[in-house]
Amino acid sequence: MRTQGRALVAGAGISGLCCALILARQGFAVSLLEESPVCGLTVRGFFRRGVFFETGMHYIGGLGPNGPLAHYFAHLGINLPAVALDPAGYDEIRLIADNRRVLLQAGKDNCIRGLTEAFPAEEAAIRAFYDDMEAGCLASPFMNHRLPFQGFSGQEADAGAEISLAEKIDGLTGDPALRAVLSCHCLLYGTPPERIPFAKHAQIAGSYMDGAWTLQGGGLALIRTLEGLCREAGVTVRTNTALRAVECDATGRVCAAVDSAGQRVETDQIVFTGHPSRIPALFPGGELRAAYCRRMHALENTPSAYLLFGIADPLPDSLAGRNVFLLTDADLAAAFAKGRAPEEGPFFLSASLPVTPGETRRGISVIAPGDFGELAPFAAGHTGKRPAEYTALKGRKLAALRQRVLELCPELRGVEFIGGATPLTLRDYLNSPGGCLYGAMHSLSQFNPAPATRIRGFWIAGQSVIAPGILGAVVSAYIACGCIVGMEHLLDEVRTCANAAL
């Protein structure tokens, strides 16, 4: 293949690994920098007492036989077995105030039928909601590979931003319980229903209409597979190394990068996949406009969280093949209120797959609201090096969270809870401002950065750019790389893989 030049990718999460792999296969000599000791910290999970715990891949959408993520994985060469969650109910939503349980089933018609059984007077509203969500999901050529690519300005993901998810639902139904059920997936991307554009929600949550999946081996297997594919493609991976500065030539084009060790690397293209607030510091020469720098610094982030980790042996039936939402308030906007205590909920419960065949022990994760502000007095410290006051506060918070979850979900009383995390833990572990779970918030009130910048040869990818989650990170990688090698060319390759799979 003809050499296209040199490319440097900063950040080895899902977006960075995918960008590095795509560009290497397109003929670039690629260097991949990651400031953490290992790649993919957000999704690679961890082991405790021989049990695997997922951290960022509790389940994923778009992996059905003709799903968009399945097409991208085929193009990337990811052949990990997909494990379907229970099609009769991959999500269980417990409405605490109503003492009601609702299952979300795989397949649009099945889901509509199941929700109509739970809300008999709301069939028209339910069907209209899913029809509109399906239409929104299919409107993007990056989600629907049957569509031709007709140009990309970087803001297509905000099309339809004049209406929020809450406005869409409120226009269909007045039932508060149904409104909570239809909007509960906003907890998976960290934006309140009244602030997320419905078009954005459709592209994210719409990927689950055909069902939900995980991968055999979990997030760790996905990261290891991408690492191996990058090595095969000739990507040079350097961990414990961050991008510190970008140099431009006299014409304003990228010409070199300086890493955290002070090493200068000449390059033609840079794809940055970290948090956008770090971009201004990369250009000490003043190449970026002041207004752009202010906008990057002012981006509102998604919330943080408290997490509980426990070992179940055996796994409760309620978490076998499904996740559980415990909605303590029908108004999900309350979940995003400043100062929300973790024990107030809502809660998301998920179990990891066993790594060893026949293993009965399973890792359980409980995710609850987290306010970084209350931990601000300890922000200067680092995990493992904080004062006793912080340790005591963390213990009280996690104990209150555990007590409340056991009250609402008594089948977890046999779970041995072995630890947890606070927003400060997440900040240090994920290298994210304020411990935000999904990067910058995609909301009606702000414009997130586009993949293309005014600096020629400098591109942006990651959860903050297009959409959060595994699928959003992968799509952002394809868009950033498409800006470099040609969007139609890259999508044609994806379509070829999709057609081959049919």
Side-chain angles (χ1 to χ4, degrees):
M1 178 180 290
R2 180 173 62 89
T3 301
Q4 297 278 25
R6 300 156 299 184
L8 183 143
V9 179
I14 294 293
S15 286
L17 286 163
C18 289
C19 284
L21 179 58
I22 293 167
L23 293 176
R25 288 180 176 170
Q26 295 295 319
F28 285 86
V30 181
S31 296
L32 176 60
L33 305 184
E34 170 54 50
E35 65 179 309
S36 299
V38 295
C39 299
L41 265 178
T42 301
V43 299
R44 72 183 293 133
F46 64 91
F47 285 88
R48 290 290 185 276
R49 301 187 189 178
V51 177
F52 181 66
F53 291 85
E54 290 283 9
T55 51
M57 200 183 77
H58 301 290
Y59 62 159
I60 46 182
L63 269 186
N66 199 35
L69 189 57
H71 296 166
Y72 289 122
F73 276 9
H75 180 251
L76 292 167
I78 298 171
N79 297 313
L80 292 169
V83 181
L85 273 65
D86 187 353
Y90 60 85
D91 275 337
E92 179 183 309
I93 303 165
R94 301 187 188 181
L95 301 157
I96 303 304
D98 293 358
N99 193 28
R100 186 190 307 196
R101 300 186 181 190
V102 179
L103 294 177
L104 296 184
Q105 300 181 39
K108 176 187 170 187
D109 291 339
N110 293 333
C111 194
I112 292 173
R113 188 182 307 112
L115 287 178
T116 299
E117 291 175 0
F119 301 93
E122 301 289 345
E123 180 177 5
I126 294 166
R127 185 167 298 278
F129 178 80
Y130 277 91
D131 283 346
D132 289 348
M133 190 161 66
E134 180 180 53
C137 192
L138 295 176
S140 167
F142 303 103
M143 296 291 290
N144 176 11
H145 297 132
R146 300 183 188 91
L147 290 181
F149 176 71
Q150 297 179 330
F152 180 74
S153 68
Q155 295 299 334
E156 273 78 355
D158 291 325
E162 69 281 353
I163 183 170
S164 70
L165 171 63
E167 290 171 322
K168 166 64 72 172
I169 295 174
D170 289 347
L172 296 172
T173 178
D175 187 320
L178 179 58
R179 289 204 300 261
V181 169
L182 295 180
S183 60
C184 73
H185 283 141
C186 74
L187 298 173
L188 300 179
Y189 53 76
T191 306
E194 71 276 9
R195 299 186 60 191
I196 185 74
F198 175 71
K200 180 75 71 177
H201 176 83
Q203 292 175 3
I204 301 170
S207 67
Y208 293 97
M209 276 194 292
D210 288 335
W213 291 263
T214 185
L215 298 172
Q216 189 64 50
L220 178 59
L222 176 58
I223 295 299
R224 285 177 172 171
T225 298
L226 283 168
E227 288 176 317
L229 291 169
C230 282
R231 285 194 299 269
E232 292 174 7
V235 175
T236 300
V237 181
R238 297 171 58 202
T239 56
N240 291 309
T241 308
L243 176 64
R244 285 290 179 260
V246 176
E247 294 182 6
C248 298
D249 61 21
T251 69
R253 183 177 182 85
V254 163
C255 65
V258 180
D259 65 29
S260 52
Q263 181 177 343
R264 182 180 183 273
V265 180
E266 293 185 352
T267 187
D268 307 300
Q269 311 283 345
I270 293 177
V271 183
F272 180 79
T273 68
H275 194 279
S277 64
R278 297 183 176 183
I279 293 175
L282 299 177
F283 293 89
E287 292 87 352
L288 293 176
R289 293 190 179 97
Y292 182 87
C293 295
R294 288 194 296 271
R295 184 159 69 89
M296 294 303 99
H297 286 307
L299 287 171
E300 183 179 4
N301 293 321
T302 51
S304 190
Y306 283 86
L307 289 85
L308 274 177
F309 301 113
I311 298 174
D313 187 7
L315 182 70
D317 291 342
S318 58
L319 286 173
R322 70 172 51 119
N323 299 297
V324 175
F325 290 85
L326 302 177
L327 302 187
T328 51
D329 194 318
D331 179 11
L332 288 183
F336 298 88
K338 294 290 185 183
R340 182 85 168 181
E343 66 270 21
E344 294 181 83
F347 312 102
F348 177 74
L349 284 62
S350 183
S352 303
L353 290 178
V355 174
T356 305
E359 173 66 76
T360 59
R361 297 180 303 162
R362 301 281 289 276
I364 303 291
S365 299
V366 178
I367 306 176
D371 184 0
F372 188 84
E374 65 183 345
L375 299 172
F378 310 104
H382 198 277
T383 298
K385 299 180 179 179
R386 295 197 175 99
E389 292 83 359
Y390 166 79
T391 303
L393 175 61
K394 176 181 177 180
R396 291 194 299 272
K397 290 287 185 180
L398 295 181
L401 170 56
R402 176 180 176 275
Q403 179 179 343
R404 181 58 172 155
V405 169
L406 292 179
E407 290 173 0
L408 300 178
C409 203
E411 66 266 36
L412 296 185
R413 287 176 181 166
V415 172
E416 180 188 6
F417 288 99
I418 61 172
T422 74
L424 279 179
T425 314
L426 298 179
R427 182 200 66 176
D428 296 346
Y429 189 75
L430 304 178
N431 294 313
S432 63
C436 60
L437 291 178
Y438 310 105
M441 183 181 291
H442 295 273
S443 75
L444 292 163
S445 59
Q446 71 181 12
F447 288 99
N448 288 42
T453 72
R454 69 178 296 270
I455 305 296
R456 288 179 296 155
F458 185 80
W459 317 90
I460 312 173
Q463 291 195 106
S464 300
V465 179
I466 299 298
I470 301 290
L471 180 55
V474 171
V475 170
S476 79
Y478 273 86
I479 292 176
C481 292
C483 290
I484 297 171
V485 304
M487 202 74 71
E488 185 60 44
H489 161 70
L490 201 53
L491 285 179
D492 273 345
E493 290 190 355
V494 175
R495 293 189 194 104
T496 298
C497 290
N499 292 333
L502 293 177

